[in-house]
Amino acid sequence: MNMNIKMPDFDVKKFVKDAGSTLSRVVQLTEEKLGTSEKTEMDAHFEHLTERSDCTRTWTEKIVRDTEAALIPNPANRVEDYIFEKIEKQKSKRLSNLEYLGLDMIEGGGEFGQDGPYGSALIKVGQAEQKLGSNERDFIGSAGMCFIQPLKKFLEGEMKTITKEKGILESKRLDLDACKNRVRKARSMLGQQTAERDLRVAQSEFDRQAEITKLLLEGISTTQATHLRHLHAFVESQVRYYGQCNKIMNDLQRELASSRPTAPRLRVNSEDVDLTRGPPYLSSSQEENGSGQQTITLHPAAHGAPRVARKPKMPPAAYPVVAGDTVIAELVANSDPNDISVL
């Protein structure tokens, strides 16, 4: 059976030339490290542009990493999102921690009974946590679109191009300095002419590459102006996010407050006593205050009197509001008057 296999084209001359150039650069770089060969230095303006480029790359990389860590603190989740976006070409459907919390609160409230005060409150808080979680996911997506992705695009595009061109420039610089050394070492007239011709070619290629690299480096200032607009967009996204979270929590707080019972409560030693259960604890002096809460007037010692040393076994008669129940009466009688308040 005849098989016609086409071998790829292989340019031997190009291979030998590239190998020779690589060897020449290694020798030149080694001699520079040893101090036995001179090195072509760039002008001060070019060096300044190079330093600014390196600074921009370093801090942009740090800002991107820190922003991603702030938005998604769990490194495993960041890796998962990267895999979904790069390989699966879709967004991760993972719920946020707040959404998981909201789900458990809603399920727990249903188990405790949604008609009861605690079960009903759990369901309301759980629904609010779900809204916060959904709001958080929207913010993460918005921040990624308006801030992280543009900065990553800069690093993976323009910054990689600058790094590549700087590497080519360094290679051209090594070729140039190697040619300069060969010119200095050439002895015969023929060798001198060949070395000088190679030097002119190397100098031309070096100057051309230096100009290309310089133009790219000067474009960094324009890039920073663009990044400033992305930064403003990121801040605006944060303002919307925290404003929405604040509204959700304020609405929840008002809803919970409106569902509280309006019955009066007695607090003794930081412990609430439900006055709606058991024997009647309300005295004839109860009245409605401006907030709709019932107010109980206690003995003057419980309100405005200066703090005095605690007296043991204060007679319950001093607190007629709770005199009808022996347990509450004893609790009040053994308490400091300044630790008693009516809510």
Side-chain angles (χ1 to χ4, degrees):
M1 182 175 60
N2 294 327
M3 296 182 62
N4 295 324
I5 301 176
K6 185 178 180 180
M7 300 296 294
D9 295 334
F10 185 75
D11 192 338
V12 178
K13 291 183 178 180
K14 184 178 184 301
F15 174 77
V16 173
K17 182 180 178 181
D18 291 343
S21 298
T22 302
L23 179 61
S24 175
R25 292 165 186 167
V26 171
V27 172
Q28 176 63 27
L29 187 60
T30 303
E31 290 178 353
E32 289 176 0
K33 297 293 184 181
L34 296 175
T36 59
S37 179
E38 295 181 0
K39 175 182 177 181
T40 299
E41 299 291 344
M42 306 300 296
D43 60 77
H45 178 60
F46 188 91
E47 292 294 341
H48 171 71
L49 292 176
T50 301
E51 291 177 0
R52 188 177 64 172
S53 170
D54 294 340
C55 179
T56 300
R57 184 190 68 250
T58 299
W59 284 105
T60 302
E61 289 174 344
K62 289 183 178 180
I63 290 171
V64 168
R65 287 197 304 267
D66 291 346
T67 306
E68 288 179 327
L71 296 176
I72 308 177
N74 190 336
N77 289 344
R78 294 201 295 272
V79 173
E80 179 185 351
D81 291 345
Y82 177 83
I83 293 174
F84 268 95
E85 291 180 6
K86 297 297 182 181
I87 300 178
E88 301 294 335
K89 303 299 182 181
Q90 61 180 348
K91 294 288 185 180
S92 173
K93 298 179 181 179
R94 181 188 64 254
L95 296 179
S96 67
N97 292 335
L98 286 173
E99 288 175 307
Y100 280 120
L101 173 61
L103 284 174
D104 288 342
M105 282 186 167
I106 292 174
E107 292 182 7
E111 290 292 332
F112 294 140
Q114 60 182 2
D115 295 332
Y118 181 52
S120 174
L122 267 180
I123 293 175
K124 292 176 181 178
V125 175
Q127 291 171 343
E129 297 298 335
Q130 283 188 319
K131 292 178 182 178
L132 290 175
S134 177
N135 194 32
E136 181 186 38
R137 284 194 293 109
D138 291 342
F139 167 62
I140 292 174
S142 174
M145 289 290 293
C146 71
F147 188 62
I148 295 178
Q149 288 188 10
L151 265 59
K152 280 187 173 182
K153 185 177 180 181
F154 161 73
L155 292 172
E156 296 172 358
E158 185 174 348
M159 206 65 243
K160 276 190 175 181
T161 301
I162 291 176
T163 302
K164 176 185 175 181
E165 296 300 330
K166 284 170 63 178
I168 295 175
L169 178 62
E170 178 66 8
S171 298
K172 298 298 183 183
R173 199 272 306 166
L174 290 171
D175 291 342
L176 175 62
D177 289 338
C179 289
K180 289 179 179 179
N181 286 335
R182 285 197 294 271
V183 168
R184 285 192 294 267
K185 296 176 182 179
R187 303 186 185 281
S188 65
M189 182 62 67
L190 181 60
Q192 183 78 16
Q193 292 176 351
T194 302
E196 289 178 351
R197 185 184 68 247
D198 292 342
L199 176 60
R200 287 193 296 270
V201 174
Q203 184 70 57
S204 175
E205 292 181 352
F206 171 78
D207 292 341
R208 178 176 177 277
Q209 184 61 35
E211 187 64 24
I212 293 174
T213 307
K214 182 179 178 181
L215 290 174
L216 290 173
L217 292 173
E218 288 175 342
I220 293 294
S221 58
T222 304
T223 300
Q224 290 186 354
T226 304
H227 289 180
L228 178 60
R229 293 197 298 271
H230 296 318
L231 180 62
H232 287 173
F234 174 64
V235 172
E236 291 173 1
S237 180
Q238 274 190 309
V239 170
R240 288 194 301 271
Y241 167 62
Y242 287 113
Q244 291 168 351
C245 290
N246 183 61
K247 181 179 183 303
I248 292 172
M249 295 310 297
N250 284 333
D251 291 345
L252 173 64
Q253 188 178 40
R254 285 192 296 269
E255 187 174 4
L256 291 178
S258 65
S259 62
R260 288 177 180 174
T262 59
R265 292 183 296 122
L266 178 66
R267 177 166 292 175
V268 180
N269 294 335
S270 301
E271 188 173 331
D272 287 351
V273 178
D274 189 351
L275 300 178
T276 64
R277 297 179 181 274
Y281 303 133
L282 302 182
S283 68
S284 59
S285 61
Q286 65 178 9
E287 57 186 16
E288 296 288 335
N289 60 20
S291 63
Q293 291 279 352
Q294 288 182 303
T295 305
I296 302 174
T297 303
L298 295 180
H299 191 276
H303 296 287
R307 193 174 187 87
V308 295
R310 181 174 176 177
K311 296 180 180 180
K313 298 295 182 180
M314 182 176 292
Y319 299 90
V321 65
V322 292
D325 186 280
T326 56
V327 176
I328 304 302
E330 184 177 357
L331 177 62
V332 173
N334 290 297
S335 302
D336 191 328
N338 293 281
D339 291 332
I340 304 174
S341 61
V342 179
L343 304 178

